[in-house]
Amino acid sequence: MTRAFYRGYQSSRVTRLHVMREDGKFPGRSGECGTSGWAARRSDPIILDPMPLVPPAGLSWCPACVGKLAERRGLLASWAAEMAGAQ
């Protein structure tokens, strides 16, 4: 099951919801895009398990995370073909 996370800063700087990486370097502790998902001095990760269908209010999906997840699941080629045909 796929998880997602965002940084727990107490400010408006947080805008992206990242897809949690479950293999490779730092599994369960970083995003597909490489964003750190571990606790830091002023920012704890907020983990959503399972990953929601839509981001919480005020957040949007990290494009790099979504693209890498689509590639892992074999959807990237079909999405690209669909976008190319939509012109």
Side-chain angles (χ1 to χ4, degrees):
M1 189 169 294
T2 306
R3 300 182 292 164
F5 74 95
Y6 61 96
R7 302 301 305 172
Y9 292 110
Q10 297 297 318
S11 74
S12 61
R13 293 186 297 175
V14 177
T15 60
R16 297 290 190 194
L17 182 61
H18 299 276
V19 177
M20 185 72 75
R21 182 180 188 92
E22 301 296 352
D23 64 351
K25 192 173 183 181
F26 304 116
R29 297 184 59 198
S30 67
E32 289 282 352
C33 67
T35 296
S36 66
W38 53 81
R41 187 179 317 167
R42 294 184 211 157
S43 170
D44 290 327
I46 310 301
I47 299 172
L48 305 174
D49 186 8
M51 182 174 89
L53 295 175
V54 295
L59 297 177
S60 61
W61 290 111
C62 169
C65 284
V66 170
K68 289 179 187 264
L69 181 62
E71 182 178 28
R72 284 181 190 269
R73 296 214 173 147
L75 299 170
L76 193 59
S78 63
W79 284 4
E82 184 179 323
M83 286 186 264
Q87 295 179 6

